[in-house]
Amino acid sequence: MTGIRYEDFLDLDYEPAASDLVCSFHVEPAADMDMESAASRVASESSNGTWAELQVSGGITDLSATAFDIDGSRVQVAYPDELFEDGNMAQVLSCIAGNIMGMKAVERIRLLDCEWPEPLATTFPGPQFGTSVRNDIFDAGDRPITATVPKPKVGLSTDQHAEIGYEAWTGGIDLLKDDENLTDQAFNPFHDRLTESLAQRDRAEEETGEPKSYLVNITADANTMLDRADAVAEQGCEYVMVDVVTTGWAAVQSVRERCEELGLAIHAHRAMHAAFDRVENHGVSMRVLAQIARLVGVDHIHTGTADLGKLENEDTEGINEWLYADRYGMNDVLPMASGGLHPGLVPELMDRVGTNVGIQAGGGVHGHPDGTHAGAKALRQAIDATMDGVPVEEYAEDHSELATALEKWGTETPR
């Protein structure tokens, strides 16, 4: 008979194996619990433990996680590779971010970071394209690609939506983008919007001589998303957009598989991420969510504005670094900066996040006093000025659209 106790899950002398998934947690023990006891319970509950001491007859596979390092409130736990099903992100998260989030043994717990071992990481496909979309689709050279969401983000008719797309594309925007809550509503049906927007895309490409594309939101149940991806490919579009957190990672994996068959890139909107990552001492960090997104295979993901926009951001620069870094030969991911951006913020944004990004502005394009076309030109002018090393104020002397944008918004961050 073999006894399994909480203390069996704590070993401060353990050296993780190369095949272990190592997770870092912020842990605040319950009032009646010391840190070592709380750490052992985190490892237990997230692997093969339970609250009662077990007497198990016969040999069993040892799938116990091990809490091996405690540094203040930071606890590191190593998980054996055999614990996980290959290529099943839902199952992985049920272990490392499942029941432990609700245990009474901890007052607060946050999954901060993961070190993904090669045996597990390579069971996921990773991005099909990654940052290569900047040149493979847009021939953008060294500059960031640009995107905009028609505003208001819901309520426009299909005709209005497509016309705004045309104005933005001809002003210099690369990508028209649906927002997170526009899917297939009566005021702007999915299939009509796809067809009419791409017709305007083609018109804009002919007039500008530049490639353009459309991030159409296919978010729905998994089967519907697959049908919509098929429709997108049939219409000659290069992208789909998915609300990856609200949809769920298993559904994203299904979309990734279909998109490889169709040759489509995936733009990941992170709506609902803050339900997991905004509280600093509980939940799942945006860093981990971005890691998951890369493993399951998105090509773009929103990572924030390095504290320049209207939304709270968690270490945009550090997350972007992880998305770029080599991970067992897996393609990288293009970070998208979005949320309260306008032309006056572009120089500082590019200084903080570089040029291998996408820059998305909604209100900062459509709120331009002279309309969407002028707003798109102003955003592109701000990027061009920064790429040329020219202060935007100086560049604006010969570019009226940028001058008007700077007069309206300056370099202030909206709230």
Side-chain angles (χ1 to χ4, degrees):
M1 307 288 284
T2 303
I4 302 178
R5 304 156 298 179
Y6 281 130
E7 52 264 37
D8 296 328
F9 295 88
L10 178 70
D11 183 355
L12 299 180
D13 294 321
Y14 179 74
E15 292 288 340
S19 60
D20 286 351
L21 171 61
V22 175
C23 296
S24 297
F25 297 93
H26 168 87
V27 175
E28 297 177 19
D32 60 347
M33 189 78 54
D34 62 39
M35 182 59 84
E36 289 192 356
S37 298
S40 67
R41 282 161 172 77
V42 171
S44 168
E45 183 63 38
S46 56
S47 59
N48 66 342
T50 187
W51 65 272
E53 182 175 340
L54 301 179
Q55 299 299 321
V56 181
S57 60
I60 60 170
T61 303
D62 185 6
L63 300 179
S64 299
T66 303
F68 68 92
D69 185 73
I70 299 174
D71 183 6
S73 64
R74 192 180 183 96
V75 173
Q76 288 190 286
V77 178
Y79 297 87
D81 182 60
E82 295 81 6
L83 180 63
F84 304 113
E85 179 183 351
D86 289 350
N88 186 340
M89 188 56 72
Q91 186 269 338
V92 173
L93 290 174
S94 291
C95 295
I96 65 174
N99 284 353
I100 56 174
M101 295 294 163
M103 293 192 308
K104 290 182 178 179
V106 296
E107 184 67 25
R108 294 286 186 268
I109 180 170
R110 180 179 176 87
L111 177 56
L112 299 169
D113 199 1
C114 296
E115 298 174 30
W116 299 89
E118 185 172 9
L120 179 60
T122 55
T123 67
F124 296 95
Q128 188 179 179
F129 301 100
T131 62
S132 70
V133 297
R134 288 172 56 243
N135 288 309
D136 290 353
I137 296 177
F138 297 107
D139 194 24
D142 293 332
R143 71 167 173 85
I145 60 172
T146 57
T148 191
V149 175
K151 299 292 183 176
K153 58 186 178 179
V154 290
L156 295 170
S157 69
T158 301
D159 289 345
Q160 289 172 318
H161 182 103
E163 180 62 27
I164 288 173
Y166 169 78
E167 294 293 330
W169 278 315
T170 55
I173 294 292
D174 300 301
L175 282 160
L176 184 68
K177 175 187 168 297
D178 292 345
D179 222 340
E180 75 282 357
N181 53 351
L182 179 63
T183 53
D184 186 30
Q185 294 99 313
F187 59 84
N188 195 352
F190 174 84
H191 290 282
D192 292 347
R193 184 172 74 254
L194 175 65
T195 300
E196 293 192 28
S197 295
L198 290 177
Q200 295 286 28
R201 186 275 305 266
D202 294 345
R203 178 184 169 205
E205 284 186 337
E206 185 174 345
E207 291 183 17
T208 64
E210 293 182 339
K212 309 290 181 181
S213 197
Y214 178 28
L215 305 174
V216 59
N217 188 6
I218 66 169
T219 298
D221 64 273
N223 289 333
T224 300
M225 287 198 292
L226 298 182
D227 290 342
R228 289 177 181 173
D230 291 342
V232 170
E234 288 168 7
Q235 292 280 346
C237 190
E238 295 84 0
Y239 280 96
V240 297
M241 173 184 138
V242 179
D243 297 339
V244 292
V245 179
T246 58
T247 296
W249 299 111
V252 177
Q253 289 186 257
S254 296
V255 171
R256 169 63 176 83
E257 184 176 350
R258 181 63 62 86
C259 284
E260 182 159 8
E261 297 171 6
L262 300 171
L264 299 177
I266 300 173
H267 177 90
H269 195 295
R270 61 177 182 164
M272 199 174 141
H273 75 96
F276 299 93
D277 66 38
R278 186 168 184 177
V279 178
E280 292 184 355
N281 62 354
H282 193 77
V284 178
S285 70
M286 183 60 212
R287 181 180 181 86
V288 171
L289 295 177
Q291 292 171 0
I292 295 164
R294 181 178 181 183
L295 291 172
V296 301
V298 309
D299 298 288
H300 304 175
I301 190 169
H302 296 241
T303 61
T305 57
D307 295 326
L308 288 173
K310 67 181 181 179
L311 303 174
E312 289 289 338
N313 291 280
E314 172 204 314
D315 188 22
T316 298
E317 296 99 318
I319 293 170
N320 290 1
E321 259 182 43
W322 197 96
L323 294 175
Y324 296 138
D326 179 59
R327 305 289 167 189
Y328 316 115
M330 184 177 289
N331 283 337
D332 58 6
V333 176
L334 185 74
M336 295 293 294
S338 67
L341 294 177
H342 58 73
L345 296 174
V346 164
E348 181 62 24
L349 175 69
M350 289 173 60
D351 181 64
R352 295 185 189 187
V353 303
T355 61
N356 192 17
V357 296
I359 297 177
Q360 178 191 303
V365 167
H366 311 294
H368 191 284
D370 297 322
T372 293
H373 184 77
K377 293 183 74 171
L379 182 65
R380 183 71 173 267
Q381 289 163 4
I383 291 172
D384 291 344
T386 306
M387 293 297 297
D388 292 342
V390 178
V392 288
E393 294 82 2
E394 180 181 334
Y395 202 80
E397 293 173 5
D398 299 318
H399 296 84
S400 61
E401 296 87 1
L402 180 57
T404 300
L406 294 177
E407 182 179 351
K408 181 175 180 64
W409 292 304
T411 59
E412 296 299 312
T413 298
R415 291 181 62 86

